[in-house]
Amino acid sequence: DLSLSRGGPTVGGHNSHQNGLDVDLWYDLYPVSWQGAGIDKGLFEYWQREEMKSVLTPNKDQLVPRFKKIHKRILYFLAQDKRVQRLFVHPRIKKWLCDEPDQFKEKHLRKVRPWYGHDDHVHVRLQCPEGDKLCQSQPEPPEGDGCDQLAWWDSDEAKEAASSMDFSYQAMHKKYLEVTKNLPESCKEIYNDESGEVL
């Protein structure tokens, strides 16, 4: 799930993907072994029709067995890249990295931020491109590895906040329509058709 190349609202909402710097990466949990180096028809069709699958057990308290060291290497590959500012993962994944850091150091764990959802993908937020004067970066993540703050995610406060969030398509599309009413002038030419209607 990529941001639009120049940012801007998306039909499905997804507010955090509207700045052109964000991408969701689905953890590869394809159940059938690869046949050769090419992408066969079955694999292509699988990716087209399947929804992302959670890497948590049904009670949400553990990672499933098929979530393995290779996924940790993928997260490390992203975390050590200077172009990456943050990685949003489920709190259980962050705890796993804190408990078994392997090659992860504090500077890498600092980038890995726990957030609601994110039990089926990693959300990558990039730094602003060098020299782009219009791009506005977030502040850097707080100092430290963040491992000492994970207990909050099991608190009643966190559970209450999660239950109040609506991630349905209908709710996100409503937000999209609200955002498109107040686009900056520089964006309106991209999003409006000749009749002035938002595409």
Side-chain angles (χ1 to χ4, degrees), residues 6-177:
R6 293 179 177 82
T10 58
V11 175
H14 223 161
N15 294 347
S16 61
H17 283 247
Q18 295 178 14
N19 59 12
L21 300 174
D22 294 68
V23 57
D24 284 345
L25 301 177
W26 179 2
Y27 296 119
D28 179 15
L29 301 177
Y30 185 53
V32 180
S33 61
W34 290 75
Q35 300 297 323
I39 297 179
D40 61 25
K41 183 180 178 182
L43 179 57
F44 180 78
E45 289 180 352
Y46 176 86
W47 281 342
Q48 292 296 311
R49 71 173 184 267
E50 289 296 312
E51 295 183 358
M52 295 186 289
K53 291 180 172 58
S54 175
V55 299
L56 300 178
T57 54
N59 58 8
K60 304 288 188 185
D61 66 343
Q62 295 182 48
L63 297 172
V64 295
R66 68 181 186 273
F67 194 71
K68 300 181 182 294
K69 295 284 186 179
I70 188 171
H71 299 101
K72 183 183 287 188
R73 290 198 293 269
I74 291 169
L75 292 172
Y76 174 73
F77 173 79
L78 296 168
Q80 56 82 38
D81 193 316
K82 294 180 180 179
R83 296 169 295 181
V84 172
Q85 187 182 47
R86 280 176 170 78
L87 299 172
F88 294 102
V89 301
H90 190 275
R92 291 284 180 261
I93 296 175
K94 170 79 174 190
K95 185 177 188 308
W96 177 53
L97 297 179
C98 291
D99 291 345
E100 302 177 33
D102 295 333
Q103 69 267 53
F104 276 78
K105 299 178 182 178
E106 180 178 300
K107 64 180 181 180
H108 304 128
L109 287 170
R110 180 186 178 198
K111 288 186 180 183
V112 181
R113 313 305 300 177
W115 196 245
Y116 301 101
H118 297 86
D119 59 327
D120 51 14
H121 68 282
V122 54
H123 178 138
V124 182
R125 173 160 296 156
L126 301 173
Q127 301 277 8
C128 279
E130 188 174 346
D132 189 333
K133 296 180 181 179
L134 296 178
C135 185
Q136 297 180 5
S137 288
Q138 275 192 313
E140 289 299 315
E143 293 293 335
D145 59 18
C147 295
D148 58 341
Q149 301 167 8
L150 287 171
W152 180 84
W153 291 95
D154 288 320
S155 69
D156 291 339
E157 182 183 3
K159 293 173 183 176
E160 183 179 349
S163 65
S164 67
M165 295 181 177
D166 187 351
F167 295 111
S168 68
Y169 176 83
Q170 290 78 10
M172 292 192 294
H173 189 246
K174 182 179 178 181
K175 289 181 181 179
Y176 164 77
L177 294 176

